[in-house]
């Protein structure tokens, strides 16, 4: 299921897995390159936390046409239901986990509503690009959950 507005994009999928297990996977920065469906997350930078928590900062090696590093701060954390982080530009990556018949309903959101240059992000196609990457990320989460069985 897809949801979107001009500056908020979300993708939701039912994943037949335990909510805490899925939350733990996303709360581990070392797993982000494994679950990332966009292909832009390459590696967790050394020195970051092994597990995210409210206020934690972590950096990632990225590639979006060129290599770069990004530093993130966890701004929302309600285990095992919600985790979100923001980087210097201000947009937020958020994951919501809700128990549902047959598993966990996972929603990934890209939230640029509070970003000063949000119109530029829209004009550069980030909402559509991120929607496709988020759908692929949720597919990867489902594949990892299925491989556990």
């Amino acid at each position: 299921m897809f949801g979107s507005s001009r500056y908020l994009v979300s993708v939701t999928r039912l994943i037949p897995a335990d909510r805490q297990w899925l939350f733990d996977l996303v709360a581990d920065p070392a797993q982000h390159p494994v679950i990332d469906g966009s292909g832009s997350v390459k590696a967790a930078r050394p020195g970051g936390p092994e597990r995210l928590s409210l206020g934690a900062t972590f950096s990632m090696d990225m590639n979006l046409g060129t290599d770069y590093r990004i530093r993130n701060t966890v701004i929302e954390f309600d285990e095992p239901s919600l985790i979100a982080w923001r980087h210097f530009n201000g947009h937020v990556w958020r994951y919501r986990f809700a128990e549902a018949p047959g598993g966990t309903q996972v929603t990934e959101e890209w939230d640029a509503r509070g970003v000063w240059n949000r119109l530029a992000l829209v004009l550069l196609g980030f909402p559509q690009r991120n929607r496709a990457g988020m759908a692929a990320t949720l597919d990867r989460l489902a594949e990892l959950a299925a491989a556990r069985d």
Side-chain angles (χ1 to χ4, degrees):
M1 176 178 16
F2 299 105
S4 67
S5 69
R6 192 166 193 179
Y7 306 115
L8 175 67
V9 176
S10 67
V11 178
T12 301
R13 178 171 175 170
L14 178 66
I15 298 177
D18 176 72
R19 177 168 69 154
Q20 183 68 56
W21 183 83
L22 289 164
F23 183 91
D24 289 343
L25 194 63
V26 174
D28 178 355
Q31 295 302 311
H32 290 191
V34 176
I35 65 173
D36 172 51
S38 73
S40 64
V41 180
K42 299 304 178 189
R45 298 285 306 156
E50 290 184 18
R51 189 171 196 281
L52 300 178
S53 59
L54 187 61
T57 59
F58 65 103
S59 298
M60 305 299 290
D61 286 334
M62 308 285 293
N63 184 289
L64 193 59
T66 189
D67 291 336
Y68 64 100
R69 295 177 183 160
I70 197 90
R71 183 179 168 118
N72 304 285
T73 302
V74 177
I75 59 167
E76 298 172 16
F77 191 91
D78 181 17
E79 186 169 349
S81 303
L82 172 70
I83 188 169
W85 53 85
R86 174 179 59 219
H87 67 72
F88 73 93
N89 194 45
H91 60 270
V92 175
W93 290 98
R94 182 179 295 115
Y95 287 82
R96 300 179 188 276
F97 304 87
E99 290 184 14
T104 302
Q105 182 173 300
V106 181
T107 300
E108 183 179 1
E109 295 176 349
W110 176 78
D111 186 348
R113 293 176 293 181
V115 176
W116 67 272
N117 65 343
R118 64 185 177 266
L119 181 58
L121 294 173
V122 169
L123 294 174
L124 291 169
F126 280 96
Q128 297 83 1
R129 180 182 309 149
N130 289 339
R131 182 180 301 107
M134 292 183 322
T137 295
L138 297 184
D139 288 346
R140 286 189 178 196
L141 284 173
E143 290 166 6
L144 289 168
R148 282 184 67 219
D149 296 337

